[in-house]
Coordinates of all heavy atoms in Angstrom, one line a residue:
K30 N 0.9 -1.2 0.0 CA 0.0 0.0 0.0 C 0.8 1.2 0.0 O 0.5 2.2 -0.7 CB -0.9 0.0 1.2 CG -2.1 -1.1 1.1 CD -2.9 -1.1 2.3 CE -4.0 -2.2 2.2 NZ -4.8 -2.3 3.5
M31 N 2.1 1.2 0.8 CA 2.9 2.3 0.8 C 3.5 2.5 -0.7 O 3.6 3.7 -1.1 CB 4.0 2.1 1.7 CG 5.0 3.3 1.9 SD 6.4 2.9 3.0 CE 7.4 2.0 1.9
F32 N 3.9 1.5 -1.3 CA 4.5 1.5 -2.7 C 3.5 2.3 -3.7 O 3.8 3.1 -4.5 CB 4.9 0.3 -3.3 CG 5.9 -0.5 -2.5 CD1 6.1 -1.8 -2.5 CD2 6.8 0.2 -1.6 CE1 7.0 -2.5 -1.6 CE2 7.8 -0.4 -0.9 CZ 7.9 -1.8 -0.9
A33 N 2.2 1.8 -3.5 CA 1.2 2.4 -4.3 C 0.9 3.8 -4.1 O 0.8 4.6 -5.0 CB -0.1 1.6 -4.1
Y34 N 1.1 4.3 -2.8 CA 0.9 5.7 -2.5 C 2.1 6.5 -3.0 O 2.0 7.5 -3.6 CB 0.9 5.8 -1.0 CG 0.6 7.3 -0.5 CD1 -0.7 7.7 -0.4 CD2 1.6 8.2 -0.3 CE1 -1.0 9.0 0.1 CE2 1.4 9.5 0.0 CZ 0.1 9.8 0.3 OH -0.2 11.2 0.5
Y35 N 3.3 5.9 -2.9 CA 4.5 6.5 -3.5 C 4.3 6.8 -5.0 O 4.7 7.8 -5.5 CB 5.7 5.8 -3.2 CG 6.3 5.8 -1.8 CD1 5.6 6.5 -0.8 CD2 7.5 5.1 -1.5 CE1 6.2 6.6 0.4 CE2 8.0 5.1 -0.2 CZ 7.4 5.8 0.8 OH 7.9 5.8 2.0
D36 N 3.8 5.8 -5.8 CA 3.7 5.8 -7.1 C 2.7 7.1 -7.5 O 3.0 7.7 -8.4 CB 2.9 4.6 -7.7 CG 3.9 3.6 -8.1 OD1 5.0 3.9 -8.5 OD2 3.6 2.4 -8.2
R37 N 1.7 7.3 -6.7 CA 0.7 8.4 -7.0 C 1.1 9.7 -6.6 O 0.9 10.7 -7.2 CB -0.7 7.9 -6.4 CG -1.3 6.7 -7.0 CD -2.6 6.4 -6.3 NE -3.6 7.3 -6.4 CZ -4.6 7.3 -5.6 NH1 -4.8 6.6 -4.6 NH2 -5.5 8.4 -5.8
F38 N 1.7 9.7 -5.4 CA 1.8 11.1 -4.7 C 3.3 11.3 -4.2 O 3.5 12.5 -3.9 CB 0.9 11.1 -3.5 CG -0.4 10.8 -3.8 CD1 -1.1 9.7 -3.3 CD2 -1.3 11.7 -4.6 CE1 -2.4 9.4 -3.5 CE2 -2.6 11.4 -4.9 CZ -3.1 10.3 -4.4
G39 N 4.2 10.4 -4.2 CA 5.4 10.5 -3.5 C 5.3 10.8 -2.0 O 4.2 10.6 -1.5
L40 N 6.3 11.4 -1.3 CA 6.1 11.7 0.1 C 7.2 12.8 0.2 O 8.4 12.5 0.4 CB 6.4 10.5 1.0 CG 5.9 10.8 2.4 CD1 4.5 10.9 2.6 CD2 6.4 9.6 3.3
I41 N 6.7 14.0 0.5 CA 7.6 15.1 0.4 C 7.4 16.1 1.7 O 6.2 16.4 2.1 CB 7.6 16.0 -0.8 CG1 7.9 15.2 -2.0 CG2 8.4 17.3 -0.6 CD1 7.7 15.8 -3.2
G42 N 8.4 16.4 2.5 CA 8.2 17.3 3.6 C 9.4 18.4 3.5 O 10.2 18.4 2.6
S43 N 9.2 19.3 4.6 CA 10.1 20.4 4.5 C 11.4 20.2 5.5 O 11.2 19.6 6.5 CB 9.3 21.6 5.1 OG 10.3 22.7 5.5
P44 N 12.5 20.6 5.0 CA 13.8 20.5 5.8 C 14.0 21.6 6.8 O 14.9 21.6 7.6 CB 14.9 20.6 4.7 CG 14.3 21.5 3.7 CD 12.9 21.2 3.7
S45 N 13.1 22.5 6.9 CA 13.3 23.8 7.7 C 13.5 23.4 9.2 O 14.4 24.0 9.8 CB 12.2 24.8 7.5 OG 12.1 25.1 6.0
V46 N 12.6 22.6 9.7 CA 12.6 22.3 11.2 C 13.8 21.6 11.5 O 14.5 21.9 12.5 CB 11.4 21.5 11.6 CG1 11.4 21.0 13.0 CG2 10.1 22.5 11.3
L47 N 14.2 20.6 10.7 CA 15.5 19.8 10.9 C 16.6 20.8 10.9 O 17.5 20.6 11.9 CB 15.6 18.7 10.0 CG 16.8 17.8 10.2 CD1 16.8 17.2 11.5 CD2 16.9 16.7 9.1
A48 N 16.6 21.7 10.0 CA 17.9 22.6 10.0 C 17.9 23.4 11.3 O 19.0 23.7 11.8 CB 17.8 23.5 8.7
W49 N 16.8 23.9 11.7 CA 16.7 24.7 13.0 C 17.2 23.8 14.2 O 17.9 24.4 15.0 CB 15.3 25.1 13.2 CG 15.1 25.8 14.5 CD1 15.5 27.1 15.0 CD2 14.2 25.3 15.5 NE1 15.1 27.2 16.2 CE2 14.3 26.2 16.6 CE3 13.6 24.1 15.8 CZ2 13.8 26.0 17.9 CZ3 12.9 23.9 16.9 CH2 13.0 24.9 18.0
L50 N 16.7 22.5 14.2 CA 17.1 21.7 15.4 C 18.6 21.4 15.4 O 19.3 21.3 16.3 CB 16.3 20.5 15.3 CG 14.7 20.6 15.7 CD1 14.0 19.4 15.3 CD2 14.6 20.9 17.2
L51 N 19.2 21.2 14.1 CA 20.5 20.8 14.1 C 21.4 22.1 14.2 O 22.6 21.8 14.5 CB 20.8 20.2 12.7 CG 20.1 18.7 12.4 CD1 20.3 18.4 10.9 CD2 20.8 17.7 13.4
R52 N 20.9 23.2 13.9 CA 21.7 24.4 13.9 C 22.7 24.4 12.7 O 23.8 25.0 12.8 CB 22.3 24.7 15.2 CG 21.4 24.8 16.3 CD 22.0 24.9 17.7 NE 21.0 24.8 18.9 CZ 21.2 24.0 19.8 NH1 22.3 23.2 19.9 NH2 20.2 23.9 20.7
R53 N 22.4 23.7 11.7 CA 23.1 23.7 10.4 C 22.1 23.1 9.4 O 21.1 22.6 9.7 CB 24.3 22.8 10.6 CG 24.0 21.2 11.0 CD 25.2 20.4 10.8 NE 25.1 19.0 11.2 CZ 24.3 18.1 10.7 NH1 23.7 18.3 9.5 NH2 24.2 16.8 11.2
Q54 N 22.7 23.0 8.1 CA 21.8 22.4 7.2 C 21.9 20.8 7.2 O 22.9 20.2 7.6 CB 22.4 22.8 5.7 CG 22.1 24.2 5.3 CD 20.5 24.4 5.3 OE1 19.7 23.8 4.7 NE2 20.2 25.4 6.1
P55 N 20.7 20.2 7.1 CA 20.7 18.8 7.2 C 21.7 18.1 6.1 O 22.0 18.7 5.1 CB 19.3 18.3 6.9 CG 18.5 19.6 7.1 CD 19.4 20.8 6.8
T56 N 22.0 16.9 6.3 CA 23.0 16.1 5.5 C 22.2 16.0 4.2 O 21.2 15.5 4.0 CB 23.4 14.8 6.1 OG1 24.0 15.1 7.4 CG2 24.4 13.9 5.2
T57 N 23.0 16.2 3.1 CA 22.4 15.8 1.7 C 22.6 14.4 1.4 O 23.4 13.7 2.0 CB 23.1 16.7 0.7 OG1 24.5 16.2 0.5 CG2 23.1 18.1 0.9
F58 N 21.9 13.9 0.4 CA 22.1 12.5 0.0 C 23.5 12.3 -0.5 O 24.1 11.2 -0.2 CB 21.0 12.1 -1.0 CG 21.1 10.7 -1.4 CD1 20.8 9.6 -0.4 CD2 21.5 10.3 -2.6 CE1 20.9 8.3 -0.7 CE2 21.6 8.9 -3.0 CZ 21.2 8.0 -2.1
E59 N 24.0 13.1 -1.3 CA 25.4 13.1 -1.8 C 26.4 12.9 -0.7 O 27.4 12.1 -0.7 CB 25.8 14.1 -2.8 CG 27.0 13.9 -3.4 CD 27.3 14.7 -4.8 OE1 26.2 15.1 -5.3 OE2 28.3 14.6 -5.3
E60 N 26.2 13.7 0.4 CA 27.0 13.7 1.6 C 27.1 12.4 2.3 O 28.0 11.7 2.7 CB 26.8 14.9 2.5 CG 27.2 16.2 2.0 CD 26.7 17.4 2.8 OE1 25.7 17.1 3.6 OE2 27.1 18.5 2.7
F61 N 25.8 11.8 2.4 CA 25.6 10.6 2.9 C 26.3 9.5 2.2 O 26.9 8.7 2.7 CB 24.1 10.3 3.1 CG 23.9 8.8 3.4 CD1 24.0 8.3 4.6 CD2 23.3 8.0 2.4 CE1 23.8 6.9 4.9 CE2 23.1 6.6 2.6 CZ 23.3 6.1 3.8
V62 N 26.1 9.5 0.9 CA 26.8 8.5 0.0 C 28.3 8.5 0.1 O 29.0 7.5 0.3 CB 26.3 8.5 -1.4 CG1 27.0 7.6 -2.3 CG2 24.7 8.2 -1.6
S63 N 28.8 9.7 0.1 CA 30.3 9.9 0.2 C 30.8 9.4 1.5 O 31.8 8.7 1.5 CB 30.6 11.4 0.0 OG 30.3 11.9 -1.3
R64 N 30.1 9.6 2.6 CA 30.4 9.1 3.8 C 30.4 7.6 3.8 O 31.3 6.9 4.4 CB 29.5 9.6 4.9 CG 30.0 9.4 6.4 CD 29.0 9.9 7.3 NE 27.8 9.1 7.4 CZ 26.5 9.6 7.7 NH1 26.3 10.9 7.8 NH2 25.5 8.8 7.7
T65 N 29.4 7.0 3.3 CA 29.2 5.6 3.2 C 30.3 4.9 2.4 O 30.9 3.9 2.9 CB 27.9 5.1 2.7 OG1 26.8 5.7 3.4 CG2 27.8 3.6 2.5
V66 N 30.8 5.5 1.4 CA 31.8 5.1 0.5 C 33.1 5.0 1.3 O 33.9 4.0 1.3 CB 32.0 5.9 -0.8 CG1 33.4 5.6 -1.5 CG2 30.8 5.7 -1.7
L67 N 33.3 6.1 2.1 CA 34.6 6.1 2.9 C 34.5 5.0 3.9 O 35.6 4.3 4.2 CB 34.8 7.5 3.6 CG 35.2 8.6 2.6 CD1 35.1 10.0 3.3 CD2 36.5 8.4 2.0
E68 N 33.4 4.9 4.6 CA 33.3 3.9 5.7 C 33.4 2.5 5.2 O 33.9 1.5 5.8 CB 31.9 4.0 6.4 CG 31.8 5.2 7.2 CD 30.3 5.5 7.7 OE1 29.4 4.8 7.2 OE2 30.2 6.5 8.5
R69 N 32.9 2.3 3.9 CA 33.0 0.9 3.3 C 34.3 0.7 2.5 O 34.3 -0.3 1.8 CB 31.8 0.6 2.6 CG 30.6 0.6 3.5 CD 29.3 0.3 2.7 NE 28.2 0.2 3.7 CZ 27.3 -0.7 3.6 NH1 27.3 -1.7 2.8 NH2 26.3 -0.8 4.6

């Protein structure tokens, strides 16, 4: 059911609150992948 919902609508939220809580910009996907590559 989740996959069917993603097909129709996706699932998108705002990064603003997380940035405020972290006191910095949230990690980008590219930053995450680069970190994973180094770890592995």
Side-chain angles (χ1 to χ4, degrees):
K30 291 177 181 178
M31 182 184 78
F32 301 153
Y34 187 90
Y35 284 1
D36 267 336
R37 295 174 62 198
F38 308 112
L40 192 68
I41 300 172
S43 169
S45 300
V46 172
L47 181 56
W49 171 70
L50 288 163
L51 291 171
R52 303 177 188 126
R53 62 166 171 78
Q54 286 303 304
T56 303
T57 67
F58 183 67
E59 185 157 350
E60 289 169 341
F61 164 74
V62 177
S63 298
R64 188 182 77 213
T65 299
V66 165
L67 289 174
E68 290 171 350
R69 296 183 175 224

